[in-house]
Amino acid sequence: MRITASAPGKLLLLGDHAVVYDRPCLVTAVDIRYTVSIETRQDTLLTISTPQMRDKGQLYSRSLEDLAAPFPQETAFVEAAVARIFAQFGGGAGLEIVTDGPQISYGLGSSSAVTVATAAALTRLLGHDLKPRQLFDLCYRAVLDVQGTGSGFDVAAAVYGGTLYFVSGGQVIEPLSQFDLPLIIGYSGEKVGTVNLVRSVADLFERYPNLVDPLFNLSQRVVEKGRIALLNSDWAQFGDYMNIHQGILESLGVNTERLSRLIYAARDAGASGAKLSGAGGGDCMFALVDQHAEESVKAALIRAGGQIVDYALHAQGVYFIQD
Ligand code: MEV
């Protein structure tokens, strides 16, 4: 029997970095989807095939007896999920795992989506029907096994989908109602590892706790107000909160010149709010636009060297696909 699960990516709306420090954030799931397909093998090998490996004509395989951290970078999130599941539910039969999804992930949460799709497919294959909360807890631990840090907001987006108010480690996971977020995502073309940026903020916090902690408190206030604005579909206010939050991220030192160019280009072309999303250092920014500014903001982002990333927001959380 083969089980296939599909999980979405994420866009962090407000609360970036502060969410690592017990503060809340707002995140929406992005319909950039990753699928993981698993069946058992007759031996005790774990084989993994990713799109990148298929391009190179490679297939990764290892004995399940050796399955332990540190995992190889290319297969780390899949292996961490398998190891967590075997530790929790037992198992040990060989597995053939095939992952699929866009090769460019734009920093929109491919790792958490692959972890969640792997865990959903494997637990079902082993005969367990996990509740979203159980799936979140398991996958969050698997992600920490690989990265050693992170708030888990991306895992929650992949599990629950939609738009969430989320507090570090899943202390609160509150789904917010359906609304049409009028957002445009722009990719800067730069890529930097999230873990390094989380470390650089930790370093700043260690050196200047009395200055950085109030920034996290301000982020919390912006998120609380942003939550209300979202629930009221008050986009003008939400745009202001995005701009204020961008100032916080600038103060934390995670903005870049290229992101700034895109953010100012979007604002100058009529966006009522624009900020970077996630760890910073590159990846994506997003802009809030009403209908008649949409084309001019897209054109301005492209002129400023950005790439428009066109995926639906408020996407469905993990689901199974029938073969
Ligand atoms: C990274 O996408 C967002 C951070 O807040 C880290 C995290 O919450 O895990 C910087």
Side-chain angles (χ1 to χ4, degrees):
M1 185 172 46
R2 170 169 287 276
I3 303 281
T4 303
S6 158
K10 54 75 188 168
L11 182 74
L12 188 45
L13 300 175
L14 294 174
D16 331 53
H17 283 284
V19 65
V20 178
Y21 296 82
D22 271 348
R23 309 306 202 285
C25 74
L26 294 169
V27 56
T28 192
V30 179
D31 218 15
I32 179 167
R33 302 200 75 91
Y34 294 83
T35 60
V36 177
S37 201
I38 310 185
E39 64 185 319
T40 45
R41 294 172 56 95
Q42 297 309 317
D43 51 27
T44 56
L45 284 182
L46 170 67
T47 67
I48 303 175
S49 162
T50 68
Q52 291 83 349
M53 289 172 187
R54 287 195 289 285
D55 279 355
K56 291 187 228 151
Q58 294 169 343
L59 177 72
Y60 170 86
S61 111
R62 78 186 289 174
S63 164
L64 276 171
E65 285 146 31
D66 309 332
L67 189 65
F71 304 110
Q73 202 186 342
E74 264 195 313
T75 53
F77 292 93
V78 171
E79 293 194 46
V82 172
R84 276 277 161 197
I85 289 165
F86 280 0
Q88 191 165 330
F89 299 103
L95 298 173
E96 183 184 300
I97 301 185
V98 179
T99 72
D100 216 341
Q103 297 233 16
I104 304 180
S105 78
Y106 310 103
L108 292 175
S110 57
S111 306
S112 43
V114 164
T115 308
V116 168
T118 302
L122 182 54
T123 47
R124 173 151 302 187
L125 188 69
L126 297 176
H128 304 284
D129 206 3
L130 299 197
K131 301 250 179 329
R133 180 74 220 194
Q134 293 170 301
L135 189 59
F136 168 81
D137 286 337
L138 195 152
C139 293
Y140 180 42
R141 279 190 218 114
V143 167
L144 288 181
D145 290 340
V146 178
Q147 290 185 172
T149 182
S151 65
F153 80 99
D154 45 357
V155 176
V159 171
Y160 291 83
T163 302
L164 305 171
Y165 171 87
F166 175 91
V167 182
S168 321
Q171 293 169 57
V172 181
I173 303 176
E174 180 196 343
L176 303 178
S177 52
Q178 166 78 53
F179 26 63
D180 277 332
L181 283 164
L183 302 181
I184 294 169
I185 304 174
Y187 179 58
S188 68
E190 297 171 295
K191 273 227 80 67
V192 173
T194 301
V195 174
N196 288 342
L197 283 145
V198 170
R199 276 205 203 111
S200 79
V201 172
D203 185 49
L204 195 71
F205 183 47
E206 207 174 294
R207 284 186 289 142
Y208 306 106
N210 298 333
L211 296 178
V212 175
D213 203 53
L215 291 174
F216 294 153
N217 288 338
L218 182 58
S219 171
Q220 170 158 16
R221 251 182 267 149
V222 174
V223 169
E224 300 300 354
K225 287 192 164 292
R227 176 179 167 278
I228 308 282
L230 269 191
L231 291 172
N232 294 331
S233 298
D234 188 337
W235 304 128
Q237 274 195 2
F238 198 79
D240 288 340
Y241 300 147
M242 285 168 59
N243 293 333
I244 293 167
H245 203 287
Q246 175 62 19
I248 301 173
L249 293 167
E250 178 77 65
S251 306
L252 291 175
V254 299
N255 193 25
T256 67
E257 200 179 326
R258 230 197 257 197
L259 281 167
S260 273
R261 241 182 276 141
L262 300 186
I263 288 164
Y264 280 99
R267 288 178 188 160
D268 290 346
S272 53
K275 71 179 276 290
L276 68 84
S277 174
D283 287 335
C284 287
M285 50 71 69
F286 64 102
L288 187 88
V289 290
D290 61 27
Q291 246 171 13
H292 48 261
E294 196 179 321
E295 289 314 313
S296 58
V297 169
K298 281 186 178 167
L301 285 172
I302 291 167
R303 272 199 309 276
Q307 184 185 334
I308 307 301
V309 181
D310 203 4
Y311 289 100
L313 304 178
H314 205 81
Q316 194 180 339
V318 64
Y319 56 68
F320 295 101
I321 297 174
Q322 301 301 334
D323 270 346

